[in-house]
Amino acid sequence: MPAALPRLVRLAPSAAIGLLVFPVLVGLAGAALPAFGFFPALGGHTLSLEPLRDVFAQPGIWKSIGLSALVGLFSPLIALVLTFVLLAATWGTPALAAVRRLIAPLLSVPHAAAAVGLAFLIAPSGFLFRLISPELSGLTRPPDLLIIQDPLGLAMTAGLVAKEMPFILLMSLAALPALDGRRRQMVMTSIGYGRGMGFALAVAPQLYQLIRLPVFAVIAYASSVADVAIILGPTTPAPLSVRILDWASDPDLTSRFMAAAGALVQLALTVSALLIWFAAEKILGRLWELFATSGIRSGRGGKGWQALALAVPLVPMLAIAAGLALLLVWSFAGPWRFPDTLPSSWSLRAWMQMGSDGFELAQTSMLIALVPTLVAAILIIGCLEVEFATGRTGGSRSLLILYLPLLIPQVTFLFGLQFLAIVLRADGMIVSVMMAHLVFVLPYMFLSLADPYRRFDRRVIQVASGLGLGFWRRLFQVRLPMMIAPILTALAIGIAVSIGQYLPTLLVGAGRVPTLTTEAVALAAGGDRRALAVAATLQSVLPFVAFWMALALPAFVARKRKGMQIA
């Protein structure tokens, strides 16, 4: 370790690893003990399998498990396929730049807000049916169809596909430059392959290897998600994560044992889903090799194919955008009867009813988001400075540690953290919620900032050192001003991730730290669409403002430094 680095900076990697690993391990232990009947505070003094037996004795439990597993496997698969189709259609064309610009705003949308917007769009009384009624459909009343909360979880799968696809696309775009995809595409074209097949054979397999960990994180999230499941998922029976929350919030405190056991079952479910994915990887990989070496050439594909390949993957992303617009419309809607396309009048009543409560929720949400985001930024910059000075990135082991909180189901280790917080009398405290958010904010911000930091021109720092600038002056007067754009983007991502956190806020906050996300999910169970729209709109606005500032501020800062390179 170079002596030039201050001691505080040298401690950053250890601190970051501790913040990522310790809560997960403690949370798993905290869930495992009550799952086997040991929790003295609730009268559990001996180890027992009774909580696990109680879980599997619940009616419909296998349907809940099967539903969570299917959603956890199919939503990442569909999102991955759509991402690759979109890349195959746009790689090397101006359309890719337009797609790239869409990603950041869509990533900023919290899952709960996206789910509510999708529900407003596709529900039987939603905008799509209003758009075709009564002229095209003949409907004067909403059709008797179970679209939202359908028993197969199709709406929930669609919501997850729409929200996870931008994340997989972002990871893919970050990985593509390492593959020299343009040259590969040219080679495939020269030997007779069309654009789509050339991408599929020469780029997609290697690209998938680079984004496997993000895909695994999506599988873990989709198989254990709670907020989207509550809004769009079935209720009879509900996905496993929702049932665990029901047991955890039961007034009968002995249900906590069953909830802890359910959390372990959720972990086994997610691990099983990942193992199934591994097996499918092997089989498909072998089949793909056989096809690639068969020499079969596909057609080059005309403009019609390219237009279709561009349009289909954009549907989920456009659905999110349309859903956000509907949130805004519903928040100002007066009377809006079916099949009217738009409200018959507009009103501020829903916003006024939310009033000071909405402001307080926004204030709390922003405070909870800012603190872990700033702490994460300091730690990440410290880690990257150590990496810059030593030239060691930590390799795949560091990457695995970084993804650890994203690969373990939230509901499993957060449930254990909730038990720990109760024992330490720290449950329901805003500081505890901030610490829980930090565990999830840190990985996403690191993934956002690491590449720009690593690409920074080392010669600039060498020149600054030659001019006699010490570490802190080089950092604050040279590197950070020149990297303000990626740093602000990382901060915006951190705020967006924190604003969207539902389970950490609910479990570690013990339901006593309300935020816009918990309020939106709670309102989704009621019938007041306007109040729900106001909460979801506010939830979307805060990350959007953060991303807008991340785009606007660098140009403002650079206006008096025209010779400065903005990374």
Side-chain angles (χ1 to χ4, degrees):
M1 185 77 66
L5 282 177
R7 181 179 175 78
L8 279 176
V9 178
R10 282 182 277 160
L11 290 175
S14 302
I17 291 172
L19 282 170
L20 291 171
V21 175
F22 181 74
V24 175
L25 296 182
V26 169
L28 289 175
L33 291 176
F36 289 103
F38 186 82
F39 193 56
L42 295 180
H45 298 281
T46 58
L47 294 177
S48 164
L49 293 176
E50 195 63 28
L52 282 170
R53 293 195 193 99
D54 290 342
V55 169
F56 289 109
Q58 294 300 305
I61 187 66
W62 286 107
K63 283 188 178 177
S64 298
I65 293 173
L67 182 68
S68 296
L70 288 176
V71 172
L73 285 169
F74 279 101
S75 57
L77 176 64
I78 298 170
L80 181 65
V81 171
L82 290 177
T83 299
F84 278 13
V85 170
L86 184 62
L87 287 174
T90 59
W91 178 245
T93 71
L96 186 62
V99 170
R100 197 188 292 269
R101 284 195 291 271
L102 272 176
I103 294 177
L106 294 177
L107 274 177
S108 72
V109 181
H111 281 78
V116 172
L118 187 65
F120 285 169
L121 184 68
I122 65 174
S125 60
F127 187 73
L128 289 182
F129 278 101
R130 292 172 182 272
L131 206 58
I132 61 171
S133 301
E135 290 81 6
L136 297 178
S137 67
L139 295 170
T140 55
R141 293 182 178 181
D144 188 16
L145 298 173
L146 192 58
I147 297 176
I148 303 301
Q149 299 182 334
D150 61 290
L152 296 177
L154 298 179
M156 179 181 165
T157 302
L160 287 170
V161 169
K163 195 63 190 74
E164 297 305 338
M165 190 184 154
F167 173 65
I168 296 178
L169 186 57
L170 178 69
M171 294 294 105
S172 301
L173 289 173
L176 267 173
L179 295 177
D180 196 4
R182 190 183 297 274
R183 183 171 298 177
R184 289 169 184 255
Q185 191 86 17
M186 289 171 61
V187 171
M188 296 304 285
T189 303
S190 68
I191 59 177
Y193 286 96
R195 166 183 282 276
M197 192 54 68
F199 181 89
L201 292 178
V203 181
Q206 287 74 21
L207 177 59
Y208 175 72
Q209 293 300 321
L210 295 178
I211 62 166
R212 281 181 85 210
L213 275 178
V215 171
F216 294 163
V218 172
I219 294 171
Y221 179 82
S223 62
S224 61
V225 65
D227 49 357
V228 176
I230 292 172
I231 296 168
L232 295 176
T235 55
T236 52
L240 182 60
S241 57
V242 179
R243 300 190 72 173
I244 294 170
L245 288 183
D246 289 342
W247 298 329
S249 57
D250 195 302
D252 180 3
L253 293 179
T254 58
S255 294
R256 302 295 193 278
F257 291 106
M258 194 162 61
L264 283 197
V265 174
Q266 177 67 68
L267 177 62
L269 186 158
T270 301
V271 171
S272 302
L274 289 171
L275 290 176
I276 293 171
W277 189 275
F278 290 149
E281 272 184 355
K282 299 290 184 188
I283 296 170
L284 289 176
R286 182 61 185 151
L287 293 175
W288 204 245
E289 282 178 12
L290 292 175
F291 178 76
T293 54
S294 66
I296 298 174
R297 300 291 195 272
S298 72
R300 285 181 170 273
K303 290 185 178 178
W305 177 90
Q306 192 169 349
L308 188 66
L310 180 62
V312 172
L314 286 178
V315 169
M317 300 165 79
L318 293 176
I320 292 185
L324 290 179
L326 286 173
L327 291 179
L328 203 58
V329 172
W330 266 108
S331 70
F332 289 105
W336 193 2
R337 295 182 177 83
F338 192 89
D340 296 345
T341 306
L342 291 172
S344 56
S345 64
W346 302 92
S347 169
L348 290 172
R349 193 181 65 174
W351 287 92
M352 294 174 70
Q353 283 178 341
M354 184 66 79
S356 59
D357 291 342
F359 178 74
E360 286 179 16
L361 288 171
Q363 202 174 25
T364 305
S365 302
M366 204 60 203
L367 176 64
I368 291 175
L370 278 176
V371 173
T373 298
L374 291 175
V375 172
I378 292 169
L379 283 173
I380 291 167
I381 290 173
C383 290
L384 292 171
E385 281 296 329
V386 172
E387 184 182 307
F388 184 82
T390 62
R392 295 195 297 267
T393 62
S396 57
R397 189 171 54 183
S398 297
L399 204 57
L400 188 61
I401 291 173
L402 190 65
Y403 272 98
L404 187 62
L406 310 182
L407 293 173
I408 304 294
Q410 283 190 8
V411 73
T412 301
F413 75 90
L414 285 174
F415 199 80
L417 284 183
Q418 185 192 35
F419 275 104
L420 180 67
I422 292 171
V423 171
L424 298 176
R425 298 183 184 279
D427 59 314
M429 296 173 63
I430 196 167
V431 175
S432 304
V433 176
M434 289 174 181
M435 291 298 293
H437 281 214
L438 178 60
V439 176
F440 300 99
V441 166
L442 189 55
Y444 286 107
M445 287 183 63
F446 191 95
L447 290 172
S448 166
L449 192 55
D451 278 344
Y453 221 93
R454 288 165 181 161
R455 288 200 302 267
F456 190 84
D457 192 343
R458 184 176 288 269
R459 292 170 300 181
V460 176
I461 299 299
Q462 291 170 345
V463 170
S465 299
L467 293 174
L469 272 63
F471 173 82
W472 295 112
R473 290 185 69 189
R474 291 198 305 270
L475 182 66
F476 286 104
Q477 294 182 5
V478 179
R479 190 194 287 271
L480 296 188
M482 295 179 74
M483 294 200 63
I484 188 169
I487 289 172
L488 288 176
T489 301
L491 291 174
I493 288 175
I495 289 172
V497 170
S498 177
I499 294 283
Q501 293 300 317
Y502 174 67
L503 280 178
T505 311
L506 184 71
L507 292 178
V508 180
R512 299 197 296 272
V513 184
T515 63
L516 287 170
T517 300
T518 58
E519 183 71 6
V521 176
L523 286 170
D528 190 343
R529 289 188 175 191
R530 292 163 184 79
L532 174 59
V534 171
T537 301
L538 282 172
Q539 193 200 13
S540 305
V541 163
L542 296 181
F544 182 81
V545 170
F547 273 97
W548 177 80
M549 291 177 69
L551 290 174
L553 282 180
F556 178 77
V557 171
R559 74 190 194 286
K560 292 183 179 177
R561 302 181 180 190
K562 293 182 179 177
M564 187 180 75
Q565 170 196 355
I566 300 291

